[in-house]
Amino acid sequence: NDNRAPVTCTPGQPGQQRVLHLELKTVAHAGMVGFPNAGKSSLLRALSNARPAVASYPFTTLKPHVGIVHYEGHQQIAVADIPGLIRGAHQNRGLGSAFLRHIERCCFLLFVVDLSLPEPWTQVDDLKYELEMYEEGLFERPHAIVANKIDLPEAQANLSQLRDHMGQEVIALSAVTGENLEQLLLHLKVLYDAYMEAKLGQGCKPLRW
């Protein structure tokens, strides 16, 4: 108040200039992985308030969309809709390996399979191959297999064959009708709790939204 126009100054010092490259290492807790038109965007819309574009042509999703799934006790799980992969994605085909990097940044994975297509287990095999070729051990992260489009007639016949080939639990649901969506929500919470317990056991601070 008493020195409104100061005339004093201090000697200047040489400045510093740096070029920093920052990389986001985490996109979401869960990443939905699958081929184009497997129904990942529709599933994210059914699980959360996120509103990614949904259409009947491939590559509707060109960038990851993150939705928040709410549970009791104010717990929130972030789920990312990863753009669809194609065979040869690790060789930069389709949308390229840049989108495989988004998968690397998720804590656990949801492999979304189009159950209406013939031999749906080949989708899981192809996804496993692409992930392993990109980064060894990536497919071994905690994951669940989600068989979408169970509401279609041809999907019913493929479900038992898919379960026989996979030898593990398969969550069959319909993102459009909401059929069996609760089972996925329960399993998603199990994956999240296991992630939290593992991080705490390692002495790390778990990622929270």
Side-chain angles (χ1 to χ4, degrees):
N1 234 9
D2 297 331
N3 190 14
R4 298 188 179 183
V7 294
T8 58
C9 63
T10 55
Q13 299 292 328
Q16 293 182 347
Q17 183 176 354
R18 294 181 180 179
V19 178
L20 302 177
H21 296 277
L22 304 178
E23 181 177 349
L24 179 66
K25 294 303 293 182
T26 303
V27 171
H29 294 114
M32 291 195 293
V33 184
F35 287 99
N37 282 23
K40 299 182 297 298
S41 297
S42 298
L43 187 55
L44 184 64
R45 292 170 70 101
L47 292 173
S48 69
N49 290 327
R51 289 296 176 263
V54 174
S56 58
Y57 55 85
F59 301 118
T60 308
T61 302
L62 297 178
K63 62 180 181 179
H65 292 271
V66 179
I68 304 298
V69 182
H70 298 273
Y71 290 87
E72 293 181 356
H74 304 288
Q75 288 187 320
Q76 299 181 139
I77 301 178
V79 180
D81 171 19
I82 308 296
L85 301 179
I86 65 170
R87 294 172 180 86
H90 71 281
Q91 298 174 330
N92 217 23
R93 294 178 182 173
L95 294 178
S97 58
F99 294 98
L100 284 164
R101 293 169 69 88
H102 293 306
I103 300 173
E104 180 187 2
R105 295 164 180 157
C106 296
C107 306
F108 44 89
L109 306 175
L110 301 175
F111 292 100
V112 182
V113 175
D114 185 347
L115 195 56
S116 65
L117 297 179
E119 299 183 347
W121 56 88
T122 59
Q123 299 175 52
V124 182
D125 294 339
D126 290 337
L127 290 172
K128 177 180 180 179
Y129 176 77
E130 294 300 328
L131 266 59
E132 287 297 313
M133 291 300 294
Y134 174 73
E135 179 185 322
E136 186 177 355
L138 188 55
F139 185 83
E140 301 303 322
R141 288 192 181 180
H143 65 270
I145 297 177
V146 181
N148 193 20
K149 306 184 182 181
I150 191 64
D151 54 301
L152 300 179
E154 56 270 29
Q156 297 286 346
N158 293 332
L159 179 57
S160 59
Q161 297 180 13
L162 175 62
R163 285 173 169 159
D164 291 341
H165 277 79
M166 298 312 304
Q168 67 180 87
E169 182 182 3
V170 175
I171 303 173
L173 53 78
S174 171
V176 175
T177 65
E179 180 182 351
N180 214 23
L181 201 61
E182 185 177 355
Q183 184 182 356
L184 175 59
L185 290 170
L186 293 173
H187 197 83
L188 185 62
K189 186 64 166 57
V190 170
L191 290 172
Y192 174 76
D193 290 341
Y195 158 77
M196 296 287 286
E197 184 177 349
K199 284 297 181 182
L200 290 172
Q202 296 170 3
C204 302
K205 185 177 181 180
L207 176 67
R208 297 180 184 270
W209 253 258

